[in-house]
């Protein structure tokens, strides 16, 4: 249903008035899903990438890692994985389990977003606790070698966000304010198996159904100092997302102390479905840019994320375990009606290589393991919205990409029960510039993970 307001400006004919928002619907879905960082959420009303609007920043690309033991080692787990989290990191690792295993992990996450828009600082924060994962592995009895099956759920991405920015009397702006609140997550429902081809080589496969949802409310108010241009927008979006994907993993044992891992994560083809409520007033000098409507509608869209390839190595000598890995992703190959580009035909995303290193020390003659790790995750989104009302985007300047440190510990209470804990802290900072001035953003994220693993001797 669409409701027309009375307008203080000369209104366009009804068909012309509503032609623009209706044409844009099919292609603005991903933009509405965009994270708010640095005003990217403004693309909710500037959706069409091919028409020079702000390309979307997708929340799907942020994958910090899962599992208390794994995150205690910085997520450098693809050559180590020997619990049900192998379904996520490297399914070939399932062959290392000799006992039936059941486990679960809880995750407490907090995030602080500090923005400075045209010289005005603002800060927001969120804090929540969720079941992060639950899994089961059954090693099938064999005369030699190993064959194992597993099932798990992992909460791989959080969309929770509380964002706010504002400015007054700067660069032609009398007043501007944007607020975005979002709740949601993306989960991976996984089933996999692995087998040993020889004492040195193991292969594994994980089939994954990705499913999640997002509830998002954005408000935007703007007045120009010319006394004419103004906007007041409320957009409420409910999105359900699903995808089918999988991963192939190999583990190769080089001697008695070194393990090599290779993982290929297949493309993720998302179906996006949902509803949008728009309440928009937008008046400008140009009558063709005047909008005044209330509208509710459904949408359906498709999005595909590219291959990700991980190479990993682990070195185990006595009580010390060291591991490292690198993951390459060419995010320029994201497919949303083709490649996502800016109005100057530049790519909105870039290729990245994530680096992770970690270590674990087993205290001799004690059931305690201590862990630490470090990771560098380049932010794939390569532009920044610097003037929301005019729809201007510029190449971002990164002071540093997302860097995080982790610490963890494990306690083996007996042969059947292990408790693991991990703490992660990390941040990144980036800047963009427009004619009106600078936009800066710094995000600090913290996580505490607590997990328990139960084993039943075969």
């Amino acid at each position: 249903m669409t409701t027309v307001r009375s307008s203080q400006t000369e209104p366009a004919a009804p068909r012309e008035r509503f032609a623009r928002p209706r044409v844009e619907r099919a292609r603005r879905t991903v933009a509405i899903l965009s994270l708010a960082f640095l005003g990217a959420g403004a693309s909710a009303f500037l959706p069409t990438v091919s028409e020079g609007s702000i390309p979307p920043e997708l929340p799907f690309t942020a994958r910090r890692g899962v599992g208390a033991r794994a995150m205690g080692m910085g997520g450098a787990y693809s050559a180590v994985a020997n619990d049900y989290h192998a379904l996520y990191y490297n399914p070939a690792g399932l062959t290392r389990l000799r006992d039936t295993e059941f486990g679960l992990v809880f995750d407490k996450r907090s995030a602080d977003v500090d923005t400075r828009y045209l010289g005005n600082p603002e800060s927001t924060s969120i804090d929540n606790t969720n079941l992060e994962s639950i899994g089961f592995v059954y090693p099938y009895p064999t005369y030699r070698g190993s064959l194992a099956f597993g099932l798990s759920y992992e909460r791989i991405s959080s969309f929770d966000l509380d964002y706010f920015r504002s400015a007054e009397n700067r660069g032609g702006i009398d007043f501007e304010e944007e607020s975005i609140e979002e709740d949601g997550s993306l989960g991976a429902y996984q089933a996999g198996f692995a087998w040993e081809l020889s004492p040195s080589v193991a292969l594994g496969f994980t089939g994954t159904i990705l499913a999640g949802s997002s509830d998002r409310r954005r408000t935007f108010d703007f007045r120009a100092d010319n006394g004419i241009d103004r906007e007041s927008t409320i957009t409420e979006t409910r999105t359900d997302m699903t995808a089918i994907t999988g991963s192939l993993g190999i583990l190769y044992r080089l001697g008695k102390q070194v393990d090599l891992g290779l993982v290929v994560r297949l493309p993720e083809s998302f179906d996006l479905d949902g509803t949008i409520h728009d309440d928009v007033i937008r008046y400008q000098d140009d009558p063709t840019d005047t909008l005044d409507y209330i509208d509710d509608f459904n949408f359906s869209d498709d999005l595909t994320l590219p291959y990700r390839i991980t190479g990993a190595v682990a070195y185990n000598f006595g009580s010390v375990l060291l591991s490292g890995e690198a993951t390459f992703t060419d995010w320029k190959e994201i497919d949303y009606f083709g490649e996502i580009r800016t109005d100057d035909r530049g790519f909105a995303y870039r290729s990245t290589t994530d680096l992770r290193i970690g270590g674990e020390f087993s205290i001799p003659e004690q059931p305690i393991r201590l862990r630490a790790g470090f990771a560098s995750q380049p932010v794939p989104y390569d532009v920044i919205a610097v003037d929301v009302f005019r729809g201007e985007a510029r190449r971002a300047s990164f002071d540093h990409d997302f860097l995080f440190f982790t610490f963890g510990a494990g306690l083996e209470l007996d042969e059947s029960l292990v408790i693991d804990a991990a703490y992660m802290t990390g941040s990144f900072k980036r800047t963009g510039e427009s004619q009106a001035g600078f936009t800066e953003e710094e995000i600090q994220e913290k996580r505490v993970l607590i997990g328990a693993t139960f084993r039943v001797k075969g």
Side-chain angles (χ1 to χ4, degrees):
M1 181 180 72
T2 302
T3 304
V4 182
R5 292 192 187 89
S6 61
S7 174
Q8 297 178 358
T9 62
E10 182 178 351
R15 289 184 181 274
E16 296 176 1
R17 171 72 59 85
F18 296 106
R20 180 175 176 180
R22 291 187 182 279
V23 168
E24 290 179 345
R25 290 176 189 174
R27 298 199 59 191
R28 76 174 176 177
T29 305
V30 171
I32 291 171
L33 282 170
S34 305
L35 291 177
F37 301 151
L38 291 177
S43 54
F45 73 137
L46 292 168
T48 310
V49 175
S50 63
E51 293 181 3
S53 63
I54 302 169
E57 177 167 14
L58 303 170
F60 309 110
T61 60
R63 308 280 174 89
R64 304 298 184 223
V66 300
R69 185 189 178 206
M71 289 307 295
M73 301 174 64
Y77 208 58
S78 297
V80 177
N82 60 357
D83 54 23
Y84 74 86
H85 297 292
L87 290 164
Y88 177 82
Y89 287 99
N90 186 346
L94 294 174
T95 60
R96 295 178 171 175
L97 279 78
R98 296 295 181 260
D99 303 317
T100 300
E101 178 179 294
F102 170 80
L104 72 168
V105 178
F106 286 90
D107 182 5
K108 179 179 176 60
R109 175 180 177 267
S110 62
D112 298 320
V113 181
D114 297 324
T115 61
R116 181 176 293 273
Y117 181 57
L118 306 184
N120 186 55
E122 299 286 356
S123 297
T124 58
S125 62
I126 59 170
D127 194 339
N128 49 43
T129 301
N130 295 280
L131 174 67
E132 192 246 19
S133 70
I134 185 169
F136 169 80
V137 177
Y138 176 70
Y140 188 80
T142 59
Y143 287 106
R144 60 182 178 180
S146 177
L147 177 65
F149 302 88
L151 300 170
S152 72
Y153 163 79
E154 307 276 10
R155 191 175 189 264
I156 62 174
S157 290
S158 174
F159 304 151
D160 297 339
L161 178 69
D162 186 358
Y163 173 90
F164 180 78
R165 66 179 183 82
S166 65
E168 293 183 73
N169 302 317
R170 294 294 300 272
I173 297 172
D174 177 48
F175 172 80
E176 184 175 325
E177 183 176 284
E178 182 181 31
S179 174
I180 297 179
E181 297 178 351
E182 184 169 6
D183 295 306
S185 65
L186 180 67
Y189 299 85
Q190 303 173 126
F193 63 92
W195 69 99
E196 282 185 343
L197 298 183
S198 72
S200 300
V201 180
L203 299 178
F205 172 76
T206 297
T208 303
I209 297 175
L210 299 173
S213 62
S214 167
D215 287 292
R216 187 173 188 265
R217 177 183 173 88
R218 173 181 178 268
T219 61
F220 179 71
D221 291 286
F222 173 89
R223 293 193 307 270
D225 60 7
N226 61 13
I228 300 175
D229 295 347
R230 64 185 178 93
E231 177 168 338
S232 180
T233 299
I234 300 174
T235 301
E236 296 175 340
T237 309
R238 165 72 184 189
T239 306
D240 295 311
M241 56 205 78
T242 57
I244 296 177
T245 185
S247 61
L248 302 170
I250 302 173
L251 276 176
Y252 177 72
R253 177 148 289 171
L254 183 63
K256 296 182 179 180
Q257 296 177 309
V258 178
D259 289 296
L260 304 177
L262 177 67
V263 184
V264 177
R265 293 175 174 85
L266 304 178
E268 299 171 2
S269 298
F270 282 91
D271 294 321
L272 309 173
D273 299 281
T275 60
I276 298 175
H277 170 77
D278 267 343
D279 187 346
V280 176
I281 300 174
R282 183 181 184 185
Y283 295 149
Q284 289 186 268
D285 279 333
D286 185 353
T288 63
D289 282 332
T290 294
L291 299 174
D292 193 345
Y293 69 95
I294 299 175
D295 200 4
D296 295 277
F297 59 91
N298 301 323
F299 63 83
S300 181
D301 225 332
D302 301 314
L303 168 74
T304 300
L305 302 185
Y307 284 95
R308 288 174 291 145
I309 300 174
T310 299
V313 59
Y315 182 49
N316 194 336
F317 52 101
S319 59
V320 177
L321 171 64
L322 300 176
S323 63
E325 63 181 62
T327 299
F328 173 78
T329 311
D330 189 0
W331 296 106
K332 297 192 302 293
E333 295 183 359
I334 293 175
D335 185 6
Y336 174 60
F337 292 93
E339 299 159 330
I340 300 180
R341 294 175 179 260
T342 61
D343 53 0
D344 63 358
R345 302 304 297 162
F347 286 102
Y349 286 79
R350 56 177 175 164
S351 301
T352 63
T353 300
D354 294 3
L355 300 175
R356 300 172 184 259
I357 57 174
E360 180 180 75
F361 173 66
S362 299
I363 299 178
E365 300 181 0
Q366 298 294 327
I368 300 174
R369 298 178 179 180
L370 304 178
R371 306 175 183 118
F374 168 77
S376 170
Q377 289 187 294
V379 179
Y381 187 65
D382 202 25
V383 299
I384 178 175
V386 290
D387 193 322
V388 174
F389 190 71
R390 296 179 178 86
E392 294 180 5
R394 299 286 188 273
R395 291 291 171 189
S397 172
F398 293 86
D399 288 358
H400 63 80
D401 288 301
F402 191 83
L403 307 176
F404 65 85
F405 296 88
T406 67
F407 307 92
L411 176 62
E412 188 172 340
L413 297 177
D414 57 38
E415 293 182 352
S416 301
L417 176 60
V418 178
I419 303 297
D420 292 298
Y423 172 76
M424 183 202 90
T425 179
S427 66
F428 77 89
K429 185 177 181 179
R430 59 185 174 181
T431 305
E433 183 180 6
S434 69
Q435 294 178 355
F438 284 94
T439 300
E440 300 174 352
E441 174 193 46
E442 183 172 6
I443 299 175
Q444 297 180 324
E445 184 175 346
K446 297 178 181 179
R447 294 173 65 189
V448 176
L449 298 93
I450 305 292
T453 302
F454 306 89
R455 299 190 178 104
V456 179
K457 296 292 183 180

